[in-house]
Every structure is written in C-alpha cells, then in structure tokens.
Amino acid sequence: MSQTSRRSVLLLGGAAVAAPLVPRFAVAQADNRPRITIAVQKIVNSNVLDVLREQSNVGERVFYTSLWESLIGRDWLGNLAPRPGLATEWRRVNDQTVELKLRQGVKFHNGDEMTAEDVVFTFSRERMFANTEAKNRSTIRAFEQIPTPRAGKELPPDIAATARRIWPDLLRIDIVDRYTVRFINATPDVTLEGRLSRYGSDIMSRRGWDEAASYLDWARKPITTGPYKVVEFRPDVSLTLEAHDEYWGGRPPLKSIRFVEVPEVASRVAGLLSGQYQFACDIPPDQIGEIEKNAAFEVQGGTIQNHRLTVFDKNNAQLANPLVRRAFTHAIDRQAIVETLWAGRTKVPAGLQWEFYGDMFHADWKVPDYDPKIARDLLRQAGYRGDPIVYRVLNNYYTNQNPTSQILTEMWRSVGLNVQMQTVENWSQIMERGPARAVRDWSNSAPFNDPVSSIVNQHGPNGQQQQIGEWTNAEMNQLCEVLETSTDRDLRRKSFRRMLEICEREDPAYTVLHQNATFTAKAKSIRWKTAPAFAMDFRPGNYGA
C-alpha cells in the first residue's frame, strides 16, 4: 500500500475477479434511438429515488439497471451471481477487509469521473450512517410513517436505520489511491462481497450531493453512474430517464425511458395493446393467455428471488399468544393459491430461503402443513374467543394481492379466526402503530446468496419488523449476530436452521405463502430479455440488435 497516497476515512463504523474490457461507442452519430413508455403499478413508495429510502420491489424495477450501480454488480440476465461493476476486481485481505480496484474512466451524469472520494462519501455519516455506530446490535427505531424530508441536508431518520440494516459493522474505508479502496469491518464477515453487491450499496457523486439545495432535491434527481439519468420525476405519476451517453458500458440503446403509474391491470393491458405503452408490468397469470391471443404480443417472466409473506404483529392483543399465530400458518392451503391464482407458474418454497444459498440451504425444511384441524386445536389451546383481528391490505400492490387476500381471509375464518380485511391506501397506513395493527402482506427478497441477505436483513434486530416494533425475539437476535460475524460454516448453517424454527414455527414472525413471480408483456417485435428479478435491463446488448 502506498504510504504517500493512503489515507484513512472514518465512518461509523481470495482471488481477484477480473472484468472484461467494454468497448467504447462514439456519441457523435445519428440519434435515431427509440423512446419507450412502461406501464407499472407503482413507481416508488417513498416519492424519492434514493436507494436507501426505497427498499422495495417497485423501486428495484426503476433503479436497476438503469439508474443506480454498485461496485460489485450482479448478473441480472443470468443467475444474479456477482460480477464486476464499478469495481473491476476485488480481493480478501482478511476476514474483516475487502480491497477493490475501481473502474477507471467511469463518468457520473454530471460528467465527473468516479474516484475513491465518491466511494468514501457514499458510505459516510453525512450520506448513510448519521450518528449510528458499528457493532451496536440494538434496534434502531424507524418510523411507521414515511417522514417528509426537512429543509437542508439532514438525513431522514430511516436512512441510517436502513444503512445499519445493510452494514451493521462497517467501520471505515481506507483510500489506497485514486482508484483503490479498502472496506474494513469491525467484525469478521463472510458476506462483505454480497453486501457490496446488494441494493443500498450503490455509488453516488459527491459533487452532485454537495450542489443539491436539499436532501429532497437530491433524492428526486440523484447523480449516479447508470446508463440513464433522471430528466423529470413526478411523484405518483411518472419518471422519465434519458440516455447517459458517456456511460462506461457503451452507448445506451434507448433515447429515453418513461415509467408511468397505471394502477389497474386492465388499463395497463389495454394501453399495451393500443400502442400507448411498449411494456406493461405486473401481469397476473390469468391475463397471459388473453394477451398472447394477439400474435403480435408476448409475456415474459417467471419466478424470482422473492417470496410473498403474511406478517404478524405480536404486540396485538389477539396475536400475543404464539399459538394463535401458528393457527394462521396451518390454516393456509398454499398449493391451492399457487394453482388457482398463479396457474402453477410459481411454487410453494422451503420457507424463507432459496436454493442459491448453496450449502446454507436446508432442502428438508418446509412451510407449515395445511391442516385445519391443527389450526382449530391451537386456537382452543390459546383460549381464543373469536375477537376480531384486522388484516390490512393494499389494492393490488402485489400481483394478485386482492384475490389472495380474499382467499386467505376465508381460509382463516373457516378455522375460527375472526379476520377483518381492511383495505388502505398506502404503506404508512399499513404500518401505523396501534391496537388494530395485526396482520399485513409483505414480500422478502434475497439480494445475495446468503441467509443474512433475507432473514437477518428483514427480521433481525434492524430488520423492518423489529424497527417498527412489530415483532422481536431474543434468541433470534443472538443468532443473527452469529450469522453475521462467524466464519464457521457449520455453526452458521445450524444457526440459520434454528432461526427458521423460531420465526416460522415457535414464535411466528411471518409465514411464507409462495415464491413470487413477475410477468411483463411487450410487443414481440421488441428484442429484449426479462431478468429473473423485478429489475428491467435496458443496457447495451439487451434491447434491439
């Protein structure tokens, strides 16, 4: 390490992987690239384009791979495995340190070259961590409501909460030179590379932040490195991106991309067939055949690394007894939902895990058996007297959410659970704390191939459930620390198994319904391939020729 160029920047904390050379394209050519419009159910939930505030399925679609990029990328059109991104190679220095070589010549949307200074700022207190500290396993309380950003650059409180969810033990970044950085963790962590590749670890321009008048101004037009840049963002209406012709990966194939909010499925489909939209997202399986009756159109998609869940608030008077929550889990005929609402195009998975976990995957685990008799017996043991339990839902935020909610409600009522479905308008109303908060819908993703990325990230001490005061379990939290800091593979695997037992059996935090799937409709004449994710890839090589 160079002694003249190295300096240490304090925060709150194998073998090198080489990148292929990417050809550069001349910008000065006739610009006859197409402009496309994409109909989506929702653009973002938080009304900003900040990856640390918009940790959502809908955000993934508009952010990746068009706007935000990380040091370690993902194979979006393959198996989502890590691949060179804004870093060309990386290596393990020790159990707590990863060194990365930055890609030279990467241009931000404002024309600046990305350097180590931008990487350091991206992971700074000012941008990410605020006054939180590494190795502090206490839960950071987050607001149930989405707060309105204040004037100036003060971070909304939920940003630091999300940052510590992603990076619980990040201590500092050392700048080795202009294009080399070292991420140094306060504890051993076998998942550092995965954390660097996941959403929320994406790189931004320091000057872009400095020149913005306020956090909100920046968050609605962030300066990043992606192939497209923000032109106009109209919250709850549309987002327009245009080509970033200095993109390091080559000249983008589209002149512009416009995402428009079209909440109703029928309107998305009608707009596609009429030529108003070139793509229509979140297509339910029962509409696929109808769309493909027109030989000019097709529907692409399938299962993704995301599971649909039902989530419990154990502070609710009726749900405080885990036997009642267990009754909920045994009253669900998951296979019937897969067959009737999804036409068999997805499956009931082995709990909150995915096969791409490799040897951390427990193939013999399964979701609770569908057994109404067990459910009724559990309710009798719990002394449940039929008091109402509120089930808050959104209007088809998830594909098939309305019919799924109706089916679940009837299944629960059939075993004696007095579930009252309540449709609300937004996530703030879903999360609102109070005696009525009890059951809600959610989905969980696995952004990299380790259980830390899902069960810890979403249900651990700084997962959303615990940050909003919905659920906690002391043994689960201790096991999360083992999973995050141990380098013993067998111990980690046993700990993960025990976490599944706690969260899905003994003290249910959630119950998995089915693996999620996403389907996108388009004209057959458009040469484009869907990703096995919510993300839509419009980079060079995946649109047109």
Side-chain angles (χ1 to χ4, degrees):
M1 183 181 298
S2 168
Q3 296 302 313
T4 57
S5 60
R6 179 189 184 278
R7 67 184 182 84
S8 178
V9 182
L10 293 180
L11 302 179
L12 310 168
V17 181
L21 293 176
V22 179
R24 304 297 296 177
F25 291 87
V27 176
Q29 55 183 283
D31 196 352
N32 56 1
R33 291 171 293 178
R35 302 173 183 269
I36 64 169
T37 300
I38 302 171
V40 298
Q41 184 270 341
K42 186 73 177 169
I43 296 172
V44 291
N45 297 310
S46 60
N47 285 339
V48 295
L49 306 176
D50 181 355
V51 287
L52 288 174
R53 297 205 72 202
E54 189 63 34
Q55 297 267 303
S56 70
N57 302 340
V58 294
E60 179 181 307
R61 176 177 291 123
V62 301
F63 290 165
Y64 307 107
T65 59
S66 297
L67 187 61
W68 286 94
E69 296 183 309
S70 53
L71 296 173
I72 299 177
R74 281 178 278 177
D75 181 8
W76 286 106
L77 297 180
N79 61 359
L80 304 181
R83 63 186 304 173
L86 297 180
T88 57
E89 59 184 77
W90 55 93
R91 69 181 183 92
R92 274 280 175 162
V93 176
N94 53 47
D95 287 341
Q96 297 173 230
T97 308
V98 174
E99 181 177 280
L100 301 99
K101 296 288 186 181
L102 304 185
R103 189 180 297 276
Q104 298 186 29
V106 172
K107 294 294 183 69
F108 285 111
H109 299 155
N110 61 5
D112 291 350
E113 184 186 18
M114 181 195 71
T115 70
E117 295 281 350
D118 298 292
V119 175
V120 166
F121 181 75
T122 296
F123 293 88
S124 67
R125 288 184 182 273
E126 186 176 353
R127 155 59 182 154
M128 280 185 76
F129 295 107
N131 62 354
T132 62
E133 299 293 342
K135 292 185 67 176
N136 184 351
R137 288 281 187 284
S138 60
T139 299
I140 302 171
R141 295 297 178 191
F143 293 101
E144 291 85 359
Q145 296 186 348
I146 298 173
T148 302
R150 303 180 178 93
K153 296 289 181 62
E154 183 179 355
L155 291 178
D158 54 327
I159 288 185
T162 300
R164 278 301 175 206
R165 182 184 306 163
I166 299 170
W167 290 97
D169 298 324
L170 184 61
L171 189 62
R172 70 179 193 269
I173 299 174
D174 285 353
I175 294 180
V176 179
D177 59 39
R178 183 176 175 85
Y179 301 110
T180 309
V181 294
R182 284 188 172 185
F183 280 69
I184 300 176
N185 219 45
T187 62
D189 189 342
V190 299
T191 72
L192 289 176
E193 294 86 350
R195 295 182 189 279
L196 282 162
S197 72
R198 62 151 295 148
Y199 38 77
S201 295
D202 311 276
I203 306 304
M204 56 180 281
S205 162
R206 174 161 195 166
R207 185 166 74 89
W209 170 275
D210 289 342
E211 293 182 351
S214 68
Y215 167 82
L216 186 59
D217 287 318
W218 172 83
R220 289 186 171 171
K221 197 173 184 179
I223 305 300
T224 64
T225 63
Y228 300 93
K229 54 189 176 183
V230 179
V231 174
E232 181 187 51
F233 176 43
R234 300 170 61 200
D236 301 319
V237 179
S238 65
L239 168 65
T240 303
L241 308 176
E242 72 174 20
H244 170 41
D245 284 333
E246 291 186 282
Y247 179 55
W248 63 267
R251 190 171 188 252
L254 296 169
K255 179 63 177 174
S256 69
I257 304 171
R258 182 169 177 258
F259 295 92
V260 295
E261 284 197 10
V262 186
E264 298 301 324
V265 173
S267 298
R268 293 199 294 275
V269 172
L272 174 78
L273 298 179
S274 70
Q276 184 179 4
Y277 315 127
Q278 283 67 57
F279 292 83
C281 299
D282 301 311
I283 301 299
D286 66 354
Q287 293 296 307
I288 294 175
E290 293 300 311
I291 293 170
E292 292 186 339
K293 283 181 181 178
N294 187 325
F297 295 90
E298 66 178 357
V299 179
Q300 293 189 13
T303 55
I304 59 177
Q305 306 292 358
N306 178 277
H307 291 340
R308 281 277 285 108
L309 315 179
T310 296
V311 184
F312 306 112
D313 185 340
K314 68 186 289 184
N315 299 302
N316 178 272
Q318 307 310 316
L319 299 183
N321 190 328
L323 298 181
V324 176
R325 283 175 273 137
R326 287 172 57 191
F328 271 86
T329 73
H330 285 290
I332 301 170
D333 187 345
R334 296 164 179 79
Q335 192 59 40
I337 293 173
V338 166
E339 292 172 0
T340 58
L341 297 184
W342 292 88
R345 291 175 182 261
T346 186
K347 65 180 182 178
V348 179
L352 191 57
Q353 54 173 347
W354 290 263
E355 287 86 349
F356 87 144
Y357 283 176
D359 61 3
M360 291 291 287
F361 178 72
H362 290 269
D364 64 333
W365 186 257
K366 63 179 183 177
V367 296
D369 291 332
Y370 169 55
D371 193 326
K373 182 179 183 302
I374 291 178
R376 294 188 187 98
D377 287 345
L378 288 167
L379 292 178
R380 279 195 292 271
Q381 293 174 44
Y384 173 68
R385 299 178 180 277
D387 293 316
I389 301 172
V390 174
Y391 172 29
R392 292 175 180 168
V393 300
L394 294 169
N395 180 23
N396 275 338
Y397 173 83
Y398 299 107
T399 300
N400 275 333
Q401 185 173 13
N402 284 354
T404 301
S405 302
Q406 292 164 359
I407 288 174
L408 287 173
T409 300
E410 291 307 312
M411 288 178 176
W412 290 328
R413 287 177 177 171
S414 72
V415 301
L417 287 160
N418 182 13
V419 176
Q420 306 293 317
M421 192 167 72
Q422 181 185 92
T423 302
V424 298
E425 296 180 354
N426 53 53
W427 280 103
S428 292
Q429 293 172 344
I430 290 283
M431 304 294 190
E432 185 178 2
R433 190 190 297 262
R437 191 174 72 177
V439 182
R440 66 178 172 97
D441 291 333
W442 203 21
S443 73
N444 282 181
S445 293
F448 59 90
N449 61 344
D450 190 275
V452 160
S453 73
S454 184
I455 197 167
V456 177
N457 183 70
Q458 288 133 340
H459 306 281
N462 278 304
Q464 186 189 84
Q465 273 207 286
Q466 297 202 45
Q467 286 186 342
I468 67 170
E470 207 172 38
W471 180 91
T472 190
N473 181 284
E475 184 184 357
M476 164 69 173
N477 290 351
Q478 292 171 354
L479 292 168
C480 286
E481 185 169 0
V482 172
L483 212 64
E484 289 181 315
T485 63
S486 175
T487 59
D488 183 328
R489 195 75 173 178
D490 288 339
L491 177 61
R492 295 184 79 250
R493 178 177 166 80
K494 291 176 182 176
S495 297
F496 175 43
R497 177 80 175 209
R498 178 62 185 146
M499 293 160 77
L500 289 173
E501 291 172 351
I502 293 168
C503 294
E504 300 187 6
R505 295 281 196 278
E506 295 178 10
D507 186 19
Y510 60 85
T511 192
V512 174
L513 300 179
H514 56 78
Q515 186 165 356
N516 214 345
T518 183
F519 299 98
T520 301
K522 68 174 187 66
K524 282 185 179 177
S525 59
I526 295 176
R527 297 182 61 185
W528 177 83
K529 180 183 175 183
T530 188
F534 291 105
M536 300 183 74
D537 190 347
F538 294 106
R539 291 175 298 178
N542 197 44
Y543 188 96

